[in-house]
Amino acid sequence: MSKIKIKRFDSRREPNTIDMEYPLFDGLTLLSLLHKLKNTLDPTLSFGGVCRSGVCGSCSVMVNGKATLACSYKANNGDYIEPLAYHTVKRDLIVDKSKTKQTLVDSKAYLQSKLIPENAPKVEVQSSCILCDSCYSACPVMAVNSDFLGPFALTRVYKYTLQSEQNNESIDAVQQNGVWDCTLCGECTAVCPQNIDPKMDIMNLRSKSVQNGYSDPNFANMSFGLDFTQGF
Amino acid sequence: METDILIIGSGGAGLSAALTAKELGAKAIVACKTMPTNAQTCMAQGGINASNTQNEIEAHISDTLKASNGLGNKEMISKMCANSSNAIEWLSSLGVPFSLDENSELETRFMGGATLKRTHYAQDYSGLKILHTLYDSCIKVGIEFQSEKLFLNLIVNDGVACGAIFIDIATGSVEEIRAKSVILATGGYASVYHGFTTNGSGSTGDAIAAVTRAGGVVSDLEFVQFHPTALKNSSILISEAARGEGGYLVNSDGERFVDELKPRDEVARAILAEIDAKKDVFLDIRHIPNIAKLLPQEIKLCAIHEGIDATKELIPIKPVAHYTMGGVEVDENLEVSKIKNCFAVGECSNAHVHGANRLGGNSLLEIVAFGRLAATSAMNVIQNHKPTVPNNEKLNQDRIFVREIWNFTNQINFYEKREFLGKILYHNAGIIRNDIGLKSVLAVVRQMQKEFPFMGLGDKSLEYNMNLVEFIEFGNTLEVVEMMLVGALHRTESRGSHYREDFKELREDEFKAHSIFWKEDGVLCADFKTPKGVTNE
């Protein structure tokens, strides 16, 4: 019989993390499968998910190590389901999103000054973000710097810089743990369910930063973000 | 916890209210049962109606009144339509990237039942982009969010609302938030049609049930709009924009059988007639030029949920529950009938703008225009607010109730009941209704209410107990559905979305009236009330 494996977490149990196998019912999205398992086999299985149609951003999980919207993915035999990476796990597949929401506050990802209405078509892609945190979970920078603002916040800042006449405050806000900390690896772009390209947005935000008088701190150190002392 | 204005629900209505409250200088808290942007608003695709010139506004009012089938209040509709261009300007100024034409003017499209092109959109992500822009604006002005709080009950002292009780989903504790005024913006109840709805899982009419428990009045619950085009297997919504842009409806013989741009109830019934004649029904958008750019989301959803390429293949569809016109009965300031200082806005309220049926593009307009109105009204009452002596009676009562749930036995799996209820509601209290069907579903619902204490939790943990959340939502469902069925049973006529095959005629003399529901000593009461402001248009 086909099966999937789910990483479960309960802070009150010892050990608090175990892997459990569940039957796979064919033809269902992963979210529908999770509901079916909860409703018929195991009412304690806990996960998020509201809209079922890929716009509310509440059902993203790791499938075989890749951040994925459960409602937009058909489960396969042997899939390993885990909660999103770089988030504090609350229970099973439910994670704490308050820290990632805070990145929007810290990066001042909102309209700073007078709107340029005719620029609306330029932000068509960036404004489709659903805050699913997939990009954040895919970002390898998080492993070394958990204060990094992360891809979706920077994309949102970039979106508003395109729409607004003046953006000094948000450009200032993304210098520390922001645009220059990105390694431009493109993992965020690869996982985005909305085809947003945070990597490109971050590169553009770097150009805007330079226009505002900032410079690449890595360039100043001549390190280019690479550490040559450890060899290749 | 204490605030000036407590807003329950973080969709477009709640966030519009929060921003306006802040603009007016009030302290506002937004409490929501998931995270702030996980609301039904993000699923609205088609767009938001707005009219500029006096002639356009008149036409907008007249189209809305016509769709309401005699139950729309002209004053409220006029208020909404007259404020529509302001609403769009306000949203644009916050940064909502509406689609523009080649002259950088706002683009518009037709929706069903409209005599003018007045629906503004942001590709097919109108609701999503409005909601997220509102959210960003809330962050900018520092609105406080209380996330993952499940709304249980209003705190009402001597007929005046002074806060609400919540379960903190993260910890399982029962808490209160006190406020000088409460705005309910919790969304509709279409997901009572479990498995046969475009809605997300949370649209269980929580505020409607809570208002009746607190002594308030709700109305017109029998009016439920069925969307003609949801995907056949998954009930996922395919926007009306697909027909607005020129999509056809065809049956398995390849024939078109209805004017696709008729009001949603007529199109839904025409589709049901085909399905009853054992034919499949499809949406055909293959011939529309530039379709991949116009409706990218729909094409993606077809691929994921039906495994088809909608630019090359027919889309299999069925009509499912989409929007609930009924809700909390409110006055012209959106204040809840019989509960002072409490307001309701958006799909959870019945502000009498949709009447017996809603025009496409008017729901996003309502949540923004009236979201702002709700905040203004709330502001007016808090200026004359007299502090009451706080007592913990309601909090203690709810703490006991929630603790009691853990003692309910788990002999019956409520998930099975929820699924069964969704199915029988769809088939017997859905698009086409009759006396015997409605009575039998009502009997089932009343039996389920009796069995409720035997449907207890299978999950006994305190933290993030989603089993508990869904159980309480199901409790609300059973209360709301009872009222909806009573209304549908006693409205022995056909009007708007409510179609009785045993009473196919409109009966103006008896039923040009709102059904109203309230509770006396826990007993459900219902009546019909001829409304003021109803016109004969």
Side-chain angles (χ1 to χ4, degrees):
Chain A
M1 193 168 116
S2 303
K3 287 189 167 166
I4 62 162
K5 201 188 277 181
I6 300 175
K7 185 177 183 179
R8 310 242 353 225
F9 174 84
D10 188 329
S11 62
R12 291 188 183 245
R13 286 177 197 269
E14 195 58 49
N16 50 33
T17 299
I18 52 164
D19 289 340
M20 284 180 72
E21 274 194 335
Y22 291 94
L24 171 70
F25 300 96
D26 276 340
L28 298 178
T29 62
L30 176 56
L31 183 63
S32 305
L33 175 64
L34 291 172
H35 277 297
K36 188 165 175 134
L37 296 172
K38 185 178 180 71
N39 299 356
T40 58
L41 286 173
D42 187 349
T44 66
L45 184 61
S46 303
F47 50 89
V50 176
C51 79
R52 303 171 292 133
S53 52
V55 281
C56 77
S58 62
C59 69
S60 42
V61 291
M62 304 298 272
V63 179
N64 306 324
K66 186 184 175 212
T68 307
L69 290 182
C71 72
S72 308
Y73 173 79
K74 289 260 163 80
N76 290 308
N77 189 22
D79 278 348
Y80 182 45
I81 318 298
E82 298 166 89
L84 284 178
Y86 309 124
H87 288 70
T88 306
V89 181
K90 291 304 209 175
R91 193 176 174 202
D92 294 345
L93 302 174
I94 299 175
V95 296
D96 181 3
K97 288 193 169 178
S98 57
K99 186 179 163 221
T100 50
K101 288 279 192 284
Q102 184 63 32
T103 63
L104 296 173
V105 181
D106 295 341
S107 61
K108 305 193 172 174
Y110 39 74
L111 192 71
Q112 301 281 332
S113 69
K114 197 166 175 295
L115 184 85
I116 311 170
E118 62 273 20
N119 278 1
K122 293 187 184 167
V123 299
E124 211 170 88
V125 175
Q126 290 86 351
S127 60
S128 304
C129 173
I130 58 174
L131 295 179
C132 67
D133 287 17
S134 290
C135 55
Y136 193 94
S137 275
C139 178
V141 178
M142 294 303 164
V144 290
N145 177 10
S146 62
D147 293 329
F148 179 46
L149 289 168
F152 71 78
L154 295 172
T155 278
R156 228 168 239 238
V157 167
Y158 178 62
K159 168 195 170 272
Y160 281 110
T161 64
L162 289 175
Q163 286 187 282
S164 164
E165 282 179 357
Q166 182 274 104
N167 309 282
N168 296 338
E169 272 186 57
S170 57
I171 297 284
D172 292 349
V174 298
Q175 297 305 311
Q176 284 274 321
N177 297 317
V179 285
W180 308 110
D181 292 67
C182 169
T183 60
L184 305 180
C185 71
E187 290 293 332
C188 47
T189 305
V191 298
C192 179
Q194 295 290 78
N195 298 322
I196 299 167
D197 188 352
K199 178 192 151 190
M200 186 58 80
D201 296 338
I202 291 168
M203 284 167 67
N204 288 326
L205 212 43
R206 286 183 175 185
S207 308
K208 291 206 180 250
S209 301
V210 171
Q211 286 163 18
N212 271 32
Y214 288 102
S215 59
D216 185 345
N218 304 315
F219 191 77
N221 303 335
M222 293 299 280
S223 74
F224 302 99
L226 298 169
D227 185 357
F228 289 105
T229 58
Q230 305 202 339
F232 291 96
Chain B
M1 206 178 298
E2 218 170 330
T3 187
D4 291 337
I5 302 178
L6 168 63
I7 297 159
I8 307 175
S10 64
L15 299 191
S16 298
L19 283 170
T20 309
K22 188 84 184 181
E23 278 169 29
L24 296 171
K27 185 173 177 246
I29 290 180
V30 178
C32 50
K33 67 177 165 183
T34 52
M35 293 305 280
T37 53
N38 303 347
Q40 197 65 43
T41 304
C42 69
M43 296 173 72
Q45 300 166 1
I48 172 167
N49 289 342
S51 307
N52 292 308
T53 66
Q54 200 51 42
N55 284 345
E56 285 169 9
I57 293 171
E58 292 297 329
H60 191 173
I61 294 169
S62 142
D63 287 351
T64 307
L65 268 174
K66 192 169 165 225
S68 79
N69 283 279
L71 290 187
N73 177 318
K74 193 169 183 182
E75 278 168 41
M76 291 306 277
I77 292 171
S78 304
K79 200 184 281 195
M80 180 178 80
C81 297
N83 278 313
S84 62
S85 62
N86 276 344
I88 294 281
E89 265 171 46
W90 183 64
L91 291 174
S92 298
S93 75
L94 298 176
V96 176
F98 286 112
S99 294
L100 305 176
D101 65 13
E102 57 274 19
N103 302 320
S104 289
E105 299 291 329
L106 295 178
E107 186 72 272
T108 50
R109 61 165 57 125
F110 267 116
M111 294 283 257
T115 53
L116 287 175
K117 252 175 142 179
R118 65 170 75 92
T119 308
H120 300 67
Y121 58 96
Q123 303 85 52
D124 52 357
Y125 284 120
S126 308
L128 176 80
K129 294 186 179 187
I130 289 172
L131 183 63
H132 280 250
T133 307
L134 291 171
Y135 179 57
D136 295 341
S137 307
C138 285
I139 290 176
K140 182 177 177 178
V141 299
I143 302 280
E144 180 181 345
F145 285 93
Q146 288 289 328
S147 303
E148 299 177 323
K149 302 277 188 276
L150 178 69
F151 171 45
L152 283 180
N153 278 305
L154 286 164
I155 309 171
V156 179
N157 284 340
D158 297 329
V160 182
C162 43
I165 315 271
F166 299 87
I167 295 179
D168 179 32
I169 296 171
T171 62
S173 68
V174 178
E175 299 169 355
E176 63 176 12
I177 301 178
R178 295 247 162 204
K180 295 172 186 166
S181 165
V182 180
I183 297 177
L184 302 168
T186 60
Y189 50 93
S191 73
V192 303
Y193 291 86
H194 191 86
F196 296 88
T197 176
T198 60
N199 281 208
S201 49
S203 309
T204 44
D206 300 351
I208 294 161
V211 160
T212 53
R213 288 194 295 263
V217 181
V218 302
S219 60
D220 290 338
L221 298 189
E222 65 272 29
F223 293 107
V224 178
Q225 181 176 80
F226 284 75
H227 199 287
T229 57
L231 293 179
K232 192 179 172 195
N233 295 314
S234 55
S235 296
I236 299 287
L237 171 69
I238 298 300
S239 168
E240 183 164 312
R243 281 170 292 134
E245 297 289 356
Y248 300 143
L249 289 169
V250 295
N251 60 23
S252 24
D253 302 331
E255 292 162 353
R256 287 174 72 185
F257 52 87
V258 65
D259 171 2
E260 288 84 358
L261 287 178
K262 280 192 161 175
R264 287 178 180 171
D265 59 313
E266 289 180 47
V267 179
R269 282 196 294 276
I271 294 171
L272 202 64
E274 296 294 312
I275 292 171
D276 285 345
K278 306 281 174 235
K279 288 178 187 167
D280 288 321
V281 179
F282 302 92
L283 178 66
D284 186 356
I285 57 171
R286 296 172 298 178
H287 57 284
I288 304 170
N290 218 2
I291 189 66
K293 187 159 169 52
L294 284 167
L295 303 168
Q297 188 187 177
E298 326 297 319
I299 289 163
K300 191 164 94 179
L301 291 171
C302 289
I304 292 166
H305 295 277
E306 298 288 327
I308 57 156
D309 177 354
T311 61
K312 298 194 180 75
E313 293 168 84
L314 295 171
I315 308 167
I317 53 115
K318 69 176 177 204
V320 301
H322 179 58
Y323 185 89
T324 49
M325 275 72 74
V328 177
E329 173 76 4
V330 294
D331 69 9
E332 65 277 10
N333 297 315
L334 307 176
E335 194 165 30
V336 176
S337 174
K338 309 267 187 235
I339 306 179
K340 285 206 164 18
N341 291 17
C342 182
F343 301 83
V345 64
E347 197 174 345
C348 78
S349 88
N350 181 12
H352 313 114
V353 288
H354 309 304
N357 207 352
R358 177 178 69 82
L359 270 194
N362 268 356
S363 56
L364 284 179
L365 171 59
E366 183 194 8
I367 61 176
V368 176
F370 285 179
R372 289 169 66 69
L373 173 65
T376 312
S377 302
M379 198 65 198
N380 288 339
V381 300
I382 66 172
Q383 276 158 357
N384 308 318
H385 180 259
K386 292 185 211 78
T388 48
V389 188
N391 74 59
N392 290 336
E393 197 186 334
K394 190 65 197 158
L395 181 64
N396 292 337
Q397 210 179 334
D398 281 3
R399 281 188 171 150
I400 292 165
F401 167 71
V402 172
R403 205 182 310 140
E404 205 48 38
I405 292 177
W406 263 264
N407 297 329
F408 286 2
T409 58
N410 182 21
Q411 289 161 278
I412 301 168
N413 178 351
F414 76 86
Y415 291 119
E416 279 170 24
K417 296 288 174 186
R418 185 177 70 175
E419 194 174 330
F420 177 66
L421 178 62
K423 203 177 287 177
I424 60 172
L425 278 173
Y426 180 70
H427 291 293
N428 298 287
I431 301 163
I432 295 176
R433 303 159 172 194
N434 63 36
D435 184 75
I436 187 76
L438 291 167
K439 277 182 180 154
S440 52
V441 184
L442 187 56
V444 171
V445 169
R446 288 186 169 150
Q447 181 61 26
M448 283 184 186
Q449 289 174 340
K450 289 197 192 96
E451 291 169 352
F452 194 60
F454 305 99
M455 297 183 194
L457 306 178
D459 180 354
K460 302 285 189 187
S461 79
L462 273 174
E463 291 105 355
Y464 285 95
N465 188 336
M466 306 315 278
N467 191 219
L468 170 70
V469 172
E470 289 176 302
F471 179 73
I472 288 172
E473 287 176 339
F474 187 58
N476 287 331
T477 295
L478 291 178
E479 291 184 21
V480 171
V481 164
E482 184 186 16
M483 295 186 276
M484 179 177 95
L485 291 168
V486 167
L489 196 55
H490 289 284
R491 188 177 283 283
T492 48
E493 64 156 357
S494 292
R495 183 186 294 272
S497 66
H498 172 74
Y499 187 82
R500 289 280 300 255
E501 61 185 357
D502 44 356
F503 294 94
K504 289 182 181 154
E505 301 303 314
L506 191 70
R507 294 170 68 191
E508 286 291 67
D509 295 342
E510 295 102 314
F511 292 111
K512 190 166 181 168
H514 297 292
S515 59
I516 54 169
F517 309 88
W518 70 100
K519 281 190 174 162
E520 285 175 22
D521 299 325
V523 178
L524 175 63
C525 306
D527 199 359
F528 283 97
K529 179 185 85 170
T530 309
K532 55 179 182 186
V534 162
T535 67
N536 286 315
E537 281 179 63

